[in-house]
Amino acid sequence: MIRFSTLLTRTAAALMLGSLLVLAGCHRGSTKDAVSAASMKGQFDATIQAYKGGQFLVDGAVLSALDVGSHFAYLKDQGQLPKTVLLDRSDDSKVRKQHLQYMARMQLDYGFTVYYDDGGTLKKINPQETKARRLEDYHAPAKMNDELKGKDAAGGDFEPAQQH
């Protein structure tokens, strides 16, 4: 029978315990929610682009959040609801907080998973952390007629120098 010295046995046990702690610290039981955007863009069932004013580009059409929700409701009725959706920036707008909140609401309503491109890294939208926002229709900012510019509410001329 081979006998090892107690110093050698204790050293081997300490090394084994240390390597176990290092491996456990690396894993932590969590999954990666962020991956490289370039490598994963073709892996999604549907891709939507963010557009100005909280709107979205779906297959080249500019839709309000309410219309995108209706689009997903239609896909659900047809049995073609995607499992994963990528929210990407468009040429005209980046992904804003408002877009993430709308997509969080749709994720809760329809049960698919939404990822978005955050500076070259794909991140998963967590509806509990991102406050889901009620879907709304788009209302363009009101433009003032040229005839009304420079008039006050009573219809008279408005001159800022004559304020009392």
Side-chain angles (χ1 to χ4, degrees):
M1 188 153 113
I2 302 174
R3 293 190 54 130
F4 294 105
S5 70
T6 47
L7 180 62
L8 183 61
T9 306
R10 288 181 182 170
T11 305
L15 285 174
M16 184 90 76
L17 180 64
S19 62
L20 257 165
L21 289 174
V22 168
L23 287 175
C26 291
H27 181 45
R28 290 192 322 252
S30 64
T31 59
K32 280 176 79 173
D33 283 340
V35 292
S36 172
S39 65
M40 293 295 294
K41 286 197 177 184
Q43 304 295 323
F44 294 93
D45 298 330
T47 301
I48 295 178
Q49 292 179 321
Y51 195 69
K52 299 175 187 173
Q55 295 175 305
F56 297 93
L57 275 173
V58 180
D59 297 329
V62 178
L63 299 176
S64 69
L66 190 61
D67 292 335
V68 174
S70 297
H71 173 70
F72 284 123
Y74 172 76
L75 291 176
K76 184 178 180 180
D77 289 343
Q78 298 299 313
Q80 299 174 349
L81 190 65
K83 293 190 185 321
T84 57
V85 176
L86 173 64
L87 176 61
D88 201 8
R89 63 173 291 143
S90 68
D91 295 336
D92 298 319
S93 178
K94 63 182 180 178
V95 176
R96 302 192 184 280
K97 182 179 179 181
Q98 187 177 22
H99 294 110
L100 297 176
Q101 291 171 335
Y102 287 142
M103 292 307 291
R105 168 53 48 198
M106 288 182 234
Q107 184 173 342
L108 288 172
D109 290 346
Y110 300 108
F112 50 75
T113 305
V114 181
Y115 294 87
Y116 68 100
D117 187 358
D118 184 26
T121 304
L122 289 181
K123 292 189 178 175
K124 183 175 162 182
I125 294 178
N126 183 345
Q128 284 75 26
E129 291 175 7
T130 306
K131 292 184 179 177
R133 184 179 195 153
R134 186 174 62 87
L135 301 181
E136 299 171 353
D137 209 2
Y138 176 72
H139 300 288
K143 292 187 178 182
M144 186 180 290
N145 292 338
D146 289 337
E147 307 156 354
L148 297 177
K149 287 184 181 174
K151 304 273 184 187
D152 63 7
D157 288 335
F158 175 73
E159 294 182 26
Q162 292 181 353
Q163 289 182 351
H164 304 305

